Each structure stands twice: as structure tokens, then as C-alpha cells.
Amino acid sequence: MIDNLVFIILPYAAATLFVVVTIQRYVRKGFTYSSLSSQFLETRELFYGSVPWHIGILGAMFGHLIGFLFPSQVLWFNGVPARLYVLESTGLLFGLMCLVGIVSLIARRLTSPRIRAVTSKVDVLVLVLLFVQVALGVYVALFYRWGSSWYAASAVPYLRSLFALEPDLKMIAPLPLAVKLHIVNAFLLAAIFPFSRLVHMLVVPIHYLWRPYQLVVWNWNRRRLRGRAPWPKTETSGAVAPAGSEPAPSGRTIAAR
Amino acid sequence: MDVRLQISMVFHLDKCIGCHTCSIACKNVWTDRKGAEYMWWNNVETKPGTGYPTAWEDQEKYKGGWEQKNGQPELKMGGRVLRVLNVFHNPNMPTMDDYYEPWTYRYEDLFNAPEGADQPTARPISMVTGRPIDIEAGPNWDDDLGGSPVYAANDPNLDALTPEQRQEVFDLERLVFFYLPRICNHCLNAACVAACPSGAIYKRGEDGIVLINQERCRGWRMCVTACPYKKTFYNWSTGKSEKCILCFPRLETGQAPACFHSCVGRIRYLGALLYDADLMLEAMSVADDKLVEAQREMILDPFDPRVCEEALKNGIDDRTIEAARRSPVYRYVKQWKLALPLHPEFRTLPMLFYVPPLLPVMAKTDDGLYDTANQELFSPIEKARLPMEYLARLFSGGNIEHVRLALKKQYAVRLFKRLETVGDLDPAQVHRALEQVDSNEEEAEQIYRLTSLPTMDERYVIPPMHREEAMQMLNDDLWEEKGEAGIGFHERATRGA
Ligand code: SF4
């Protein structure tokens, strides 16, 4: 019963919240999509928290994603012990970076009065859940060896069964409690994701890498008037909408050349 | 030729009395809110002095503006990839301590304190944490303290002086300062625009105002570092950056921005400039001491028929061109060469120009006697208490000639008017002075009038903003919308789903 609740109902409830609220918030309260950086108030301790945290979590999440997408390839890769050791220790390293990062970030929130002033209840909840998640992850990595293999062999089939809308708990039933908690906590994180500052990861500015430096927004259609950009010579000098959606909605884009 | 329009500004520093009315007007209108308390979109600094935020001109510390890298302009804070990686932690981000922690006072204590032997006091309270604080800095901490070694000695611009000159600046007899009011320069090559990973910052094509789209800003805070003038501010409460908007809602209704409108010294001028955007890359790539000239080169003559034709082709309408012809900025910057950009060496092509101040002269001579007789024509300029190198460091990328001309010309105009009103000068000498600065009586009279007696309409020549044309953003062919239920960001009036 409890298994059905946390491994079937919870994930679907979380996924629904994740999708519906994320979109609804983006459309209705797009303004609130911000990193909510507190670096302006405190920068030194942030460095020791934010940098290891972000590197660690990106690495760890990427690892989970690869395992989810290519389980058989991961198992094949792990067939050679040396490769398995490398993969496991890389994973552990990322996990430890997360741990160092999240502990520093929590300590910073607790000790700096300025940072406390900009801490909301959701922030606290997010920090607690993330800490639990990372601590469990590192614990599992240390005490239940070769996670990269058994993750691919037993957790992934369960996750995939969720996506296939045919939840199948067989494979995860024998997993240790710590692993189960790790999974449940992940669902909780997904559920509060759209209510928290975590949404900033959806607006990561990758398109910056190829957009032209200068952006000009015109009242009138410049592209029709002329066809060149002054600087940089090789690119169009950009097009952005005055408000709202990103990227600029096509068709109604303001040409800026 | 790619003719564009820029609403541009001139601040006449000789007229600024340092009253901060401008700052207060701006604060009351725009930044009297949570998270924005520390922001001064308009602030007035004392020079020599370190300014706000402290030592903002020191780009070794703040990494603002552009530099030439392999013949290409690149942001001083680094390239694109670095910027995306640095969103986790921006190594060059100024913090609140570089500005100041905003505070208020616990005024209730004055009324609620129990009766006692001591006067009750209102303790200062941080507006961030709500706790009592010891005030360590404020928005104008070194106001009027120019010449004091404690603050002014840290002015980054003093590095333009020799050690002896530096020593002299702080001599009691030479004590001198002037005010430098600052707002966003609405640059042509804005570093904040270039640095914004989200693409939230943009320049308005029709008037050149640089704005931050609050909805697209995600708080990556690269603009704060990139702006060498430190005129983008991070709102610590909303998690968005904000900056001077040149009061565009006022401009669109034909009113001058709040700081201009309220300026007590009437030092502020605003008008349109036409410029050739094709020359931009070139203008930002020349050597430091050529920057002023290159930027002036970009500014086009609104009386030139070819320029007007190109402007019309680019969608600038004739009433706007008409306004550009009456622009006081065009006269000060291009025709009279009196107004210079602030720190052109940051290479953002700032569009706020300053008329450098005629500083008090150094009357004391070597042997300790005051000697005012036997003056050479322009000796008061050469003997100014603050070495001209200092002004050149501020306003012309180190090129003294620009500053010298601007000062001499102002002085020549004074001589000219003195001849007219007091009549105690030799007319031949006055004419010689005007000739030396490549000027004539007619121009001198014009400079005098626009400097001393301008009406509000002469100071602020605001072209019609044509917001009605903004509709073209939504649809190229407005005829398509004819017969619809209105145009704009709204849902179509359709029946059913
Ligand atoms: S209001 Fe005018 S005179 Fe007063 S400080 Fe500001 S710029 Fe100077």
C-alpha cells in the first residue's frame, strides 16, 4: 500500500505539478523566473558553496540521465572493472562536491544576516530536501557499491515503467531503504520544483553563446528597410521581443538589422 | 551610411552646484522601493573623489567596459563562454559593501522610549536585515571632501598626474573640487547589453534608450560587472537588474526626464543626435586619445540633405530630423566641441557628454606672493588649480587638447561678454582669443545664450516619440488589423474556442 503511494501515486502527482505549475507560472508570472542570486549581498562564501554545488549537481544529474537513457550501454561499459572503478569514483566525486556545496550554502544562509533576510520558506524546504537527497546519494554510493550498474539494471526499468504508464515495482522492491528514500525524495523535489527558485535551471542562457552582442529593438521593421548590420559585421544585430516570451516569438519578431 | 537616432545629453559642469536635487527627484520617482533603496540611477559625485560605488572608475578592480583584444573589441570581463560559466559565481561582481548598506532610523523610539534622564535616540536600522547597524558608508560619503587626502587620494584618475602634481593637488592653497552628476550614458556600444546572457537588455531603435526587460532578466548579474560606469544595479529583493530608463514614459509624453526637469543649476541639456551606425566598430577600435574624435565623427549633420535622405530611408521621420536640427547636444558636442564624453576609454561610446568645468585659478605664485597682474591671454586656464591632465583623464582618454580647447573656448566667451558688458578689455585681444579657439563673435554669442539664458524649450528638445508606430512591432501591415477589435497585446475577439 505505502509502496503504491510513494512509488506510483507520488511520482505521477509530482510530474503533474511539475509540468502544469511550471508552465502556468511561466505564462502567468514569468517575472518570477530568476536565479534570485544573493551574490550582491554576500560573495565570498557563495563561491565555496555555489561553485562546487553546481559542478557537482550537473555532473551527478548528467550521470543519472545517461544511465536512464542508455542502461545497457552503461552495463556494457562497466563490464571492464577498471572502467567501472573510474565511473564509480567520478560519480562519488560529483556527489561529494554537491555535499560540500550544499553544506556551505546552508551554513551561509544560517550565518549571514543579510542572506537570512532574503530567505523564504520554500528556500529552506529546497535546501533541506537537496541536502537529504545528496546525503542519501553519497551514502548509497559509499555503502552499496557499483551503483552505476544496479541503477541501470533495477532502478532504470522502474523509472522507465513510470514513463510508459505501466508502473512496475518488481525491480525496486529489493533495493535497500536508503535507495528508496533517495527515489522518493527526488519525487518530492520534482513536486516543489515549480514553486521554488529551482526553475532558474529552465532558463539557463545557452543561446547567449551564439547571439550577437548588441541587441536593438525597433518600432518598425528594419529588415524591410535595409539588410545589413553595422556591428558585428557578420551577424544580424539581433531581435528581441519587448516583453514576455523567450525566445522572441517568430513571425512577430522585430527585425533588428 | 546607416543613420540612427539617439536621445543624447549634455551636462554643463560649470553650472552644477552639487545640490543633489536631481538624485532626489529620481529616487522619489523610481527607486524608493524594497531592493532598490541603495540604487541611485542619478548620483552626484565630488571630484577628485572615489564616487559611487567606491572607486567605480578602477576597471582593474571592477572589470567593466571593453578592451581591444587581437584587434577586436571584447568585454574586459572576458568572453562569452566564461560569462555563461560564471553565472554560478561572478568573480568580479561588486557587492553591497562597495555601495553601502541602506538604512533608516527607528523613529518610533523617539516617542515610545520610557521617561528617563537621557534623550531618546533613533538608532539606525539596516533596510536589508532590519537590525541595528553602524553606518560605514552612504551614497555621498565623500561629498564636498575633494582635496581631502582621506577620500580623494584614492581617486583612480589621479594616476594621470606626476607625483609632484599629486602632492600639489592636496595643498591647502590649491584645494579644489567640482561636481560630476552621473546617469546611465545610454551608450551606443553598451557593455551591459553585450554581457546579458538572457538577452534581456536592449537598445530601443527609435531613440537609443537602453532598457532592461524585467520579465526576461533572470538575475545572472553580468551587466553589473560589464557596465564600466556601474549604472546597472542588482535589485537584491526581486533578483532582477535595474537601471536608469531616461524616464522614457516622460519623454514619450514630451517631458524632460525627472532629473533634468528638476535640475536647479539648469546644467542639463537633452536632444536628438543622428549618427552613422556603420562607423561604430571603427569608432570603438581607435587608440585611447583618438576616441573623442572618432565618436564625434559618427555624429551626422542633420542639415546635410544626404544625411536626411538616409535618415528618412531608415524610418526616422522628418519631424524628428527637425528636432535633431534644434538639438542643443548637437551644438555642444559637434559644432562647438565643448562637450566631451566621460571616460571614452571604456569604449562603450557613451552618449552623455560633459562640458568640463573652468576651475578656479592657482593665484599663488612660486615665491608665495599672490600675483594677478601680467596675465597671458589664457593663463588662468593653464594655471588652473587642478592640472588639465586630470580633466583629460576623465573626459578625453588622456588627450589634453580636447580639454584645453573646451576650456579656452569657454574662457574666450567670457572675455567676449566682459568686453561687451564691462568694457575693460582690449577688443583686439578679445578677438585674438576667439580666433585662437577657432571661434567668432556670432558663435560666442550663441554659446553664451545657450549656456546662460536658455529657456526650458531650448534645453530640452524632445522629438516626437511616435509611440503609435510601436504597433508595427506587432504587425507589419496594420491594414490587416483594420476592422478588428483594437490592436495590441490582447486576445483576439473570436467566438468560441
Ligand atoms: S540638480 Fe543640477 S545643479 Fe543640482 S546637483 Fe543635480 S545636476 Fe547639479
Side-chain angles (χ1 to χ4, degrees), chain A:
Chain A
M1 176 60 210
I2 181 97
D3 271 4
N4 285 348
L5 189 68
V6 297
F7 290 116
I8 300 178
I9 298 177
L10 179 63
Y12 285 121
T16 312
L17 278 177
F18 184 95
V19 174
V20 174
V21 181
T22 301
I23 294 174
Q24 191 241 17
R25 176 169 165 191
Y26 191 84
V27 174
R28 304 255 325 262
K29 294 183 90 185
F31 180 91
T32 62
Y33 273 64
S34 163
S35 68
L36 292 183
S37 163
S38 55
Q39 189 181 0
F40 180 68
L41 299 173
E42 196 290 322
T43 181
R44 183 171 284 270
E45 284 175 43
L46 180 73
F47 176 80
Y48 296 106
S50 177
V51 173
W53 164 256
H54 281 100
I55 296 175
I57 195 68
L58 284 176
M61 293 217 311
F62 183 72
H64 283 67
L65 185 70
I66 293 295
F68 176 76
L69 293 177
F70 313 106
S72 43
Q73 285 84 343
V74 170
L75 286 172
W76 166 83
F77 181 89
N78 285 347
V80 180
R83 295 203 295 223
L84 173 65
Y85 299 152
V86 170
L87 192 65
E88 287 280 306
S89 32
T90 319
L92 182 60
L93 188 72
F94 281 131
L96 289 174
M97 285 179 87
C98 286
L99 196 61
V100 170
I102 199 76
V103 169
S104 332
L105 288 174
I106 291 173
R108 172 172 176 264
R109 283 221 172 243
L110 288 176
T111 51
S112 163
R114 281 187 192 167
I115 303 300
R116 287 183 81 145
V118 291
T119 303
S120 67
K121 291 198 185 84
V122 186
D123 289 343
V124 176
L125 189 59
V126 167
L127 281 176
V128 170
L129 288 182
L130 284 178
F131 174 75
V132 170
Q133 189 69 350
V134 169
L136 284 169
V138 171
Y139 175 82
V140 168
L142 283 176
F143 295 100
Y144 303 102
R145 290 285 167 75
W146 326 135
S148 55
S149 286
W150 58 251
Y151 165 69
S154 39
V156 169
Y158 159 66
L159 290 174
R160 290 187 156 206
S161 74
L162 284 178
F163 276 87
L165 300 182
E166 286 168 359
D168 175 5
L169 305 188
K170 271 199 315 293
M171 301 301 278
I172 50 161
L175 288 179
L177 181 66
V179 180
K180 285 184 173 168
L181 287 176
H182 189 72
I183 295 175
V184 171
N185 200 57
F187 294 149
L188 291 178
L189 272 167
I192 68 155
F193 178 94
F195 302 98
S196 72
R197 64 200 297 150
L198 293 178
V199 292
H200 74 273
M201 73 172 84
L202 297 179
V203 288
V204 165
I206 295 300
H207 59 289
Y208 179 66
L209 292 176
W210 53 83
R211 84 150 165 85
Y213 265 162
Q214 292 301 333
L215 295 177
V216 183
V217 172
W218 295 94
N219 260 359
W220 53 81
N221 192 332
R222 286 269 296 181
R223 192 166 282 141
R224 212 174 46 198
L225 290 172
R226 53 191 317 133
R228 295 161 302 138
W231 184 78
K233 285 278 182 213
T234 48
E235 295 170 281
T236 70
S237 48
V240 289
S245 52
E246 63 174 289
S250 59
R252 303 215 146 175
T253 300
I254 311 95
R257 290 252 216 153

